[in-house]
């Protein structure tokens, strides 16, 4: 019989996920800031309540961070942060904007052909590099390109996100969820690729067809000619960009970090301009935002592109990212407050101390920014807000296991599938896609379902079918209804916000609905066909 502790754990887990998807803020007294209940606070509050109610103990918290059964959540986050730092510093060098200039100069005027080429290019890069580096770097690239070409960005950024998360199922290193599956189900790395290559091809082809149908009115047949722009002027740090490629091939994020500090200080001590500062020909993003080149000559820029589309605008160009950003999420710019006049004798002492601290903080920031601009620029853009969210989700899933819910779910799986191959494929596949939205990202969903299948003690053929179905679901499940379906989705939204694009939750779900339904159907159908042939 299920205990009250187990029911309380499940209820609080569901409530925390609800507030992650639909954040709120609790009004307080006028002198006290509003209390946000969102992806930063809801899971942590759930853990605190469960701990106070003795539904979990320190061992559960430790297992949620360190991991069990060979799955180490902290290793996954270290890998994610390393890729995030390298992608952000790549953006800072200006190479993405330079590439956007080059594509804009060399690309033809056929919009659909260019759209298809971008989709193929991003797919191939995601196979080789994985989804996270492509989402991290490709998002900034497409924002730059659509801005230069004056295109509606929604069709391009949605295709990029879908292509990256579909192609990541091919190699076991393409997505952290693949690592969880190969370890949890003891699937050989080469066998994993052999199993997933055909579902990937089916999902990738049908996904593009769904995207082409959905955005048929948003991709122009003919592209407007844009002025020729020299990519070299956008490349702010050529040596840093070259060094990034070498480290990406190794890959060593720690080596890239050390190089950034050393190279910046060398340029500072020798008086070499850094990141385009002091170079009148350099094209810097912050300068272009302050004085857009086309604002006076062409009022129909990309800022107003959405207004020409049918229906309400689903992407907004925002001029002040700070006012629209999610509380706690990183921003691309560090706001430096102007100095206030010195306090008068009538002022109380505390504000004067606070102002003195702010002045000291501003001075230290300016000195560091002068000596290490790459690191200081990248630091506020790192996704620190995702650390407590990810770890708290892993802890909550471990709490479900501690309270016996994994065994209960395993019993339900056995009853529903009768340990047969094809029912197992569709149950695990569909549940995997749904749980990516409800179980703390696709990583949390994969860990939970891996534990459920292991507890169900399925025969070899059904166990292997569940592994491949989960591999398909955990990758395409990121192309889902909520940003929190994957860490890459949360960071994708953050990057767009840093670049001045605000994406609403309901629009994200609407854009992904058709591609997700198509990919789920054809992907799991191919897995069923594979298992029918093999077993």
């Amino acid at each position: 019989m299920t205990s009250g502790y187990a029911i309380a754990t499940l209820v609080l887990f569901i409530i925390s996920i609800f507030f992650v998807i639909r954040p709120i803020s609790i009004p307080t007294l006028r002198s006290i800031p509003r209390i946000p209940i969102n992806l930063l606070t809801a899971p942590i509050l759930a853990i605190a309540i469960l701990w106070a109610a003795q539904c979990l103990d320190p061992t559960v918290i430790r297992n949620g961070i360190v991991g069990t059964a060979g799955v180490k959540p902290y290793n996954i986050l270290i890998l994610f942060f390393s890729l995030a730092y390298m992608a952000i510093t790549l953006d800072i060098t200006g190479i993405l904007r330079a590439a956007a200039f080059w594509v804009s100069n060399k690309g033809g005027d056929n919009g659909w052909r260019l759209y298809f080429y971008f989709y193929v290019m991003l797919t191939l890069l995601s196979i080789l590099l994985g989804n996270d580096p492509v989402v991290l770097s490709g998002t900034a690239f497409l924002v730059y390109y659509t801005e230069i070409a004056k295109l509606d960005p929604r069709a391009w950024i949605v295709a990029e996100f879908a292509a990256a998360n579909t192609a990541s199922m091919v190699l076991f290193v393409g997505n952290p969820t693949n690592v969880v599956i190969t370890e949890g189900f003891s699937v050989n790395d080469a066998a994993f690729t052999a199993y997933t290559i055909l579902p990937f091809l089916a999902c990738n082809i049908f996904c593009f067809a769904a995207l082409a149908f959905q955005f048929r009115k948003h991709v122009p047949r003919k592209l407007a000619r844009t002025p020729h722009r020299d990519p070299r002027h956008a490349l702010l740090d050529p040596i840093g960009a070259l060094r990034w490629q070498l480290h990406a091939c190794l890959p060593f994020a720690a080596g890239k970090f050390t190089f950034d500090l050393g190279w910046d200080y060398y340029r500072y001590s020798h008086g070499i301009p850094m990141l385009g500062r002091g170079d009148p020909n350099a094209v810097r993003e912050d300068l272009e935002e302050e004085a857009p080149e086309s604002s006076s000559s062409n009022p129909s820029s990309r800022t107003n592109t959405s207004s020409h589309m049918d229906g309400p605008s689903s992407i907004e160009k925002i001029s002040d990212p700070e006012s629209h950003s999610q509380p706690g999420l990183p921003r691309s710019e560090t706001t430096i407050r102007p100095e206030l006049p010195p306090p008068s004798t009538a002022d109380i002492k505390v504000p004067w101390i606070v102002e003195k601290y702010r002045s000291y903080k501003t001075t230290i920031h300016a000195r560091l920014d002068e000596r290490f601009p790459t690191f200081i620029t990248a630091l506020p853009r790192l996704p620190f807000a995702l650390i407590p969210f990810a770890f708290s989700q892993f802890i909550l899933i471990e709490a479900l296991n501690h309270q016996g819910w994994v065994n209960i779910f395993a019993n339900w799986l056995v009853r529903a599938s009768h340990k047969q191959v094809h029912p197992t494929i569709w149950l695990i596949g569909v549940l995997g896609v749904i749980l990516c939205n409800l179980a703390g990202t696709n990583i949390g969903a994969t860990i939970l379902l891996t534990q459920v299948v292991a507890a169900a003690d399925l025969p070899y053929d059904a166990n292997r079918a569940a592994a491949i179905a989960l591999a398909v679901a955990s990758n395409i499940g990121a192309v889902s209804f909520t940003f929190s379906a994957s860490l890459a989705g949360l960071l994708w939204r953050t990057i767009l916000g840093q670049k001045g694009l605000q994406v609403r939750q309901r629009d994200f779900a609407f854009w992904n609905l058709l591609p997700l339904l198509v990919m789920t159907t054809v992907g799991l159908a191919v897995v069923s066909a594979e298992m029918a042939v093999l077993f």
Side-chain angles (χ1 to χ4, degrees):
M1 183 177 178
T2 305
S3 66
Y5 291 111
I7 295 175
T9 301
L10 182 62
V11 169
L12 280 174
F13 176 78
I14 296 173
I15 292 175
S16 69
I17 293 298
F18 173 80
F19 287 121
V20 166
I21 299 173
R22 298 297 300 269
I24 64 171
S25 59
I26 300 176
T28 58
L29 298 176
R30 182 174 299 180
S31 59
I32 303 176
R34 297 171 68 92
I35 301 175
I37 307 296
N38 52 25
L39 66 88
L40 298 178
T41 58
I44 296 176
L45 286 175
I47 293 173
I49 295 172
L50 290 174
W51 197 353
Q54 299 182 351
C55 295
L56 54 81
D57 53 34
T59 302
V60 175
I61 296 176
R62 178 189 178 278
N63 290 341
I65 297 174
V66 177
T68 57
V71 178
K72 298 179 174 58
Y74 69 89
N75 275 345
I76 295 173
L77 283 181
I78 290 174
L79 174 63
F80 181 78
F81 252 75
S82 299
L83 295 173
Y85 176 79
M86 297 184 71
I88 290 170
T89 53
L90 175 68
D91 183 18
I92 292 172
T93 64
I95 192 172
L96 296 178
R97 178 163 285 231
F101 286 176
W102 186 87
V103 172
S104 178
N105 294 336
K106 300 295 183 181
D109 59 356
N110 190 316
W112 278 106
R113 181 174 60 189
L114 188 61
Y115 187 67
F116 175 72
Y117 285 168
F118 267 127
Y119 186 82
V120 172
M121 179 191 71
L122 292 168
T123 297
L124 295 177
L125 288 175
S126 300
I127 293 175
L128 297 175
L129 303 177
N131 65 333
D132 288 338
V134 173
V135 168
L136 291 166
S137 300
T139 303
F141 170 81
L142 285 176
V143 169
Y144 291 145
Y145 177 78
T146 54
E147 181 179 5
I148 293 167
K150 297 181 176 59
L151 297 171
D152 177 21
R154 75 189 78 179
W156 305 80
I157 60 176
V158 172
E160 171 248 350
F161 190 73
N165 286 287
T166 304
S168 60
M169 74 174 74
V170 177
L171 300 178
F172 84 98
V173 294
N175 193 328
T177 61
N178 299 345
V179 179
V180 174
I181 292 170
T182 54
E183 292 180 354
F185 289 91
S186 300
V187 180
N188 180 270
D189 300 340
F192 180 87
T193 300
Y195 282 126
T196 58
I197 187 67
L198 291 180
F200 150 70
L201 290 174
C203 290
N204 188 257
I205 293 172
F206 280 87
C207 179
F208 181 79
L211 290 170
F213 173 78
Q214 180 167 273
F215 294 110
R216 61 191 182 278
K217 296 181 180 180
H218 297 258
V219 179
R221 293 182 179 273
K222 294 291 183 180
L223 298 178
R225 291 291 182 179
T226 57
H228 185 278
R229 309 186 73 172
D230 192 346
R232 292 174 295 179
H233 293 165
L235 193 57
L236 305 179
D237 186 6
I239 296 179
L242 177 62
R243 192 70 178 178
W244 185 95
Q245 293 177 350
L246 296 177
H247 283 290
C249 295
L250 291 176
F252 293 134
K256 179 64 170 64
F257 172 74
T258 304
F259 170 79
D260 288 340
L261 295 181
W263 175 234
D264 282 354
Y265 191 77
Y266 173 83
R267 289 183 292 180
Y268 167 75
S269 60
H270 289 75
I272 302 174
M274 292 183 280
L275 303 184
R277 301 173 183 181
D279 184 358
N281 295 322
V283 179
R284 289 174 53 191
E285 180 183 358
D286 53 349
L287 296 180
E288 286 202 342
E289 288 177 354
E290 293 174 5
E293 185 174 303
S294 59
S295 59
S296 58
S297 60
N298 186 10
S300 58
S301 62
R302 195 198 64 173
T303 303
N304 301 320
T305 303
S306 297
S307 63
H308 298 287
M309 301 298 169
D310 296 332
S313 171
S314 54
I315 279 192
E316 301 178 21
K317 180 71 175 179
I318 58 179
S319 57
D320 184 10
E322 183 178 3
S323 63
H324 295 267
S325 60
Q326 181 84 6
L329 291 180
R331 303 193 308 270
S332 60
E333 300 291 339
T334 300
T335 303
I336 300 179
R337 296 180 176 86
E339 290 193 13
L340 299 176
S344 63
T345 55
D347 294 330
I348 60 176
K349 187 177 181 180
V350 174
W352 178 81
I353 294 176
V354 172
E355 183 57 34
K356 186 176 181 179
Y357 168 75
R358 288 176 178 175
S359 177
Y360 175 76
K361 181 180 176 182
T362 301
T363 302
I364 294 298
H365 179 274
R367 290 178 180 177
L368 291 175
D369 184 61
E370 185 180 11
R371 291 163 173 80
F372 309 106
T374 301
F375 173 70
I376 296 301
T377 304
L379 183 63
R381 297 170 61 179
L382 287 172
F384 293 109
L386 301 184
I387 296 178
F389 168 73
F391 276 132
S392 58
Q393 291 300 318
F394 295 146
I395 293 171
L396 288 173
I397 291 174
E398 185 63 29
L400 293 177
N401 185 21
H402 176 70
Q403 292 296 339
W405 281 108
V406 167
N407 291 328
I408 294 174
F409 296 153
N411 186 36
W412 292 352
L413 175 63
V414 171
R415 291 183 179 181
S417 66
H418 302 287
K419 295 189 176 183
Q420 300 297 311
V421 170
H422 298 289
T424 300
I425 290 172
W426 289 93
L427 284 170
I428 294 296
V430 174
L431 284 174
V433 170
I434 296 174
L435 288 177
C436 285
N437 298 273
L438 304 178
T441 76
N442 53 353
I443 301 174
T446 304
I447 294 175
L448 177 61
L449 287 177
T450 299
Q451 294 176 347
V452 169
V453 173
D457 193 23
L458 300 176
Y460 176 78
D461 54 352
N463 184 279
R464 185 53 51 95
I468 307 308
L470 183 56
V472 173
S474 64
N475 283 273
I476 65 174
V479 189
S480 203
F481 308 120
T482 64
F483 295 111
S484 60
S486 66
L487 293 179
L490 293 170
L491 194 54
W492 181 79
R493 179 185 63 174
T494 304
I495 293 172
L496 292 177
Q498 292 171 352
K499 301 303 178 185
L501 296 177
Q502 188 78 0
V503 180
R504 298 176 298 192
Q505 176 68 73
R506 63 178 179 269
D507 296 313
F508 181 75
F510 175 75
W511 294 340
N512 290 332
L513 178 59
L514 180 60
L516 181 63
L517 290 176
V518 171
M519 287 193 293
T520 302
T521 303
V522 299
L524 296 181
V526 172
V527 174
S528 294
E530 281 185 337
M531 295 301 112
V533 172
L534 294 175
F535 300 105

